[in-house]
Amino acid sequence: MKALFAGLVLLLLHLQPSAAADRPLLVFAAASLAEVMADASDGFTRAGGTAPKVSLAGSGTLARQIIAGAPATLFISAHPKWVSEVEKAGLVAETRPYAANRIVLVVPAGSAVPAPADDGDAAIIATIDRVLGKDGRLAIGDPASVPAGQYASDALTSLGIWQRIEPRTAPVENVRVALALVARGEAPAGIVYASDAAAEPGVAVLAALPERLHAPVRYPAALITADGADVSADAFLDYLTGPEGAKILRRHGLEPIDR
């Protein structure tokens, strides 16, 4: 009887598909990649690939969800820190460099505030103070979980003004919300990615913040581990980091990074 039971169990296990085969192609991507992921998903599907499902949010939020068991097959973060956190949890099969971006100071379109005279620290500080005025708040992603906010905090720290500016920030759950606050005129200025500013006609770029003020903005991509080979996720990552993916990145104001 025991032998018969064991045989049935082995048969059921043999007939059951692997967890990786059952999983959909679920991509967790930084909110700033909304347009990139839409174009890449369309292009990959037209080329015969599996249609991916994409979940967009702040990178820290996505990383915590993956660590908690969310069934993502691919994670694209706007900061290496959050891929490292997922990797520490033993959930990363492979990482690849993917894209580079910049952070910029934006104001509502039509704002009369002049751009800084140069890219020196004093000129940038004077412009931030001018655009915020007495009561304005600076829209940024929450530095605790949103890479754009962390880059903004680092830049303002390098400028020596974070301590006095922090109480006047409006930290939000992702960079696209910060962008929307400025576009709607609910905040007089914000710090967002250059690619975000390019996608939103309701804002104007007042200044690009020099990279000397913060770590370079880099987006790594990570394949998330699963039982068995996740062929569709690997194929989509190949597409993103290949020639067509590079064209899509450039079209939306980002730069591809070679392996």
Side-chain angles (χ1 to χ4, degrees):
M1 188 70 173
K2 286 182 180 177
L4 176 61
F5 178 75
L8 287 172
V9 169
L10 288 172
L11 178 62
L12 287 171
L13 288 174
H14 178 73
L15 292 175
Q16 185 175 356
S18 71
D22 279 346
R23 293 198 309 169
L25 174 50
L26 178 57
V27 181
F28 277 21
S32 53
L33 292 173
E35 290 79 16
V36 170
M37 286 297 108
D39 279 7
S41 298
D42 289 345
F44 183 64
T45 305
R46 283 196 305 271
T50 302
K53 296 180 180 179
V54 179
S55 178
L56 300 162
S59 298
T61 298
L62 296 174
R64 292 181 186 120
Q65 289 174 356
I66 293 169
I67 292 169
T73 46
L74 181 63
F75 175 39
I76 306 175
S77 170
H79 197 293
K81 167 185 175 180
W82 295 110
V83 166
S84 294
E85 290 298 313
V86 177
E87 197 164 20
K88 285 176 192 172
L91 299 174
V92 172
E94 178 189 352
T95 61
R96 295 186 203 173
Y98 175 47
N101 211 338
R102 298 289 302 274
I103 57 169
V104 295
L105 177 68
V106 295
V107 293
S111 170
V113 176
D118 53 54
D119 67 354
D121 292 4
I124 294 171
I125 292 169
T127 297
I128 292 172
D129 287 340
R130 189 181 303 117
V131 74
L132 292 182
K134 247 169 75 173
D135 305 312
R137 296 179 76 82
L138 182 69
I140 63 170
D142 184 349
S145 60
V146 181
Q150 184 177 346
Y151 293 122
S153 168
D154 290 348
L156 296 175
T157 298
S158 295
L159 289 170
I161 60 174
W162 174 244
Q163 192 169 359
R164 68 177 176 83
I165 293 292
E166 183 181 11
R168 300 186 60 192
T169 60
V172 292
E173 62 268 30
N174 67 64
V175 68
R176 287 303 174 96
V177 177
L179 183 72
L181 288 177
V182 180
R184 294 196 300 258
E186 295 173 23
I191 295 178
V192 300
Y193 294 120
S195 58
D196 294 315
E200 175 52 73
V203 304
V205 175
L206 204 56
L209 297 184
E211 284 195 334
R212 68 172 185 274
L213 300 176
H214 60 86
V217 180
R218 298 292 183 264
Y219 293 67
L223 285 170
I224 306 303
T225 57
D227 294 332
D230 205 328
V231 177
S232 60
D234 193 67
F236 187 52
L237 182 55
D238 285 343
Y239 180 85
L240 292 174
T241 56
E244 290 305 314
K247 290 177 189 175
I248 292 169
L249 285 172
R250 291 191 177 102
R251 187 156 66 238
H252 293 290
L254 295 98
E255 280 297 316
I257 303 174
D258 293 332
R259 296 194 202 185

